[in-house]
Amino acid sequence: MTKRALVIIDLINDYLDHWDADKAVRLISETNKLAKAFRRSGLPVIWVRPEFRPDLSDAFLEMRDNNVKIAIEGTRGAQLHADLDWNPIDATVIKKRYSAFFKTDLENLLENFGVGELTLCGINTHACIRIAAIDAYQRDLRVVLAEECIDSYSEEHARVSLDYMNGKIAKVVTVTEIIDTLRGMAAPPE
């Protein structure tokens, strides 16, 4: 059976503070359910978040060109939202671009864990989630998109992205279905 990991992308204060409150609460609640279920099954939970220098020297072009100061290291904005069920046993990856794989340790971390399938949560569906899914697929990893745990500020772009990914490079699955699958698996030996 393929070992799975939960990868949670970009659920930081600078993004969620500006999210619709009801959508943010739902996103956080459903993500927390999955994090608990993965840990109960002895499977890795990996948090991915952006973080940039105050002078933006390590930021991507749009940020530098427009002096966009978000996810600045050392600020509350760059931290995971306080209501998320982050646990010290979880891994954290800092990224500098949309892709959770670009110049990060994520690929090595997944190899060390022996992971062959990722379940993705986070924002934005049309950008960072889509790129992470494509990059995972290009690394021969199976990809599951947790339906209630992904969201986007652009409903149209999210819909188009899900239509593009579902059944091709990823599979959109409900949180309940993912948890039921995990319950059916025996916890891996330690």
Side-chain angles (χ1 to χ4, degrees):
M1 182 168 286
T2 302
K3 186 171 181 182
R4 302 159 187 231
L6 179 64
V7 178
I8 305 164
I9 300 172
D10 290 357
L11 295 184
I12 64 169
N13 293 313
D14 270 350
Y15 299 148
L16 293 177
D17 284 351
H18 302 286
W19 219 254
D20 174 81
D22 291 338
K23 287 173 75 174
V25 167
R26 188 197 96 232
L27 185 64
I28 290 167
S29 171
E30 294 298 316
T31 299
N32 286 344
K33 284 182 196 174
L34 277 187
K36 287 179 177 122
F38 270 75
R39 286 189 208 106
R40 261 194 316 271
S41 296
L43 297 171
V45 175
I46 303 166
W47 300 85
V48 178
R49 62 181 182 84
E51 183 178 275
F52 306 101
R53 294 183 190 123
D55 67 1
L56 301 178
S57 60
D58 59 346
F60 51 90
L61 288 174
E62 180 186 8
M63 289 181 70
R64 285 183 277 158
D65 290 349
N66 297 310
N67 199 35
V68 176
K69 301 231 177 177
I70 55 171
I72 302 301
E73 64 187 13
T75 68
R76 176 191 167 279
Q79 299 305 308
L80 294 171
H81 192 281
D83 293 337
L84 288 163
D85 184 27
W86 178 86
N87 189 299
I89 65 169
D90 300 338
T92 300
V93 172
I94 303 297
K95 67 178 185 140
K96 304 293 182 177
R97 298 295 184 269
Y98 285 1
S99 174
F101 287 91
F102 183 78
K103 295 186 179 181
T104 71
D105 291 330
L106 182 58
E107 186 170 8
N108 290 333
L109 194 58
L110 295 171
E111 285 176 13
N112 290 341
F113 285 138
V115 169
E117 179 178 295
L118 302 184
T119 298
L120 298 180
C121 297
I123 55 178
N124 276 298
T125 305
H126 67 280
C128 298
I129 298 300
R130 180 175 172 155
I131 292 172
I134 292 168
D135 283 354
Y137 179 79
Q138 292 297 318
R139 288 164 172 80
D140 294 325
L141 296 166
R142 299 205 182 275
V143 180
V144 171
L145 301 173
E147 185 173 25
E148 302 90 341
C149 300
I150 56 174
D151 205 350
S152 181
Y153 67 82
S154 170
E155 290 183 28
E156 179 183 358
H157 286 105
R159 182 188 50 74
V160 169
S161 292
L162 286 176
D163 287 348
Y164 166 73
M165 291 185 286
N166 192 24
K168 298 169 190 73
I169 65 167
K171 183 177 176 184
V172 179
V173 180
T174 68
V175 167
T176 299
E177 291 171 318
I178 294 166
I179 291 172
D180 288 347
T181 299
L182 294 175
R183 283 186 185 132
M185 299 170 36
E190 296 191 22

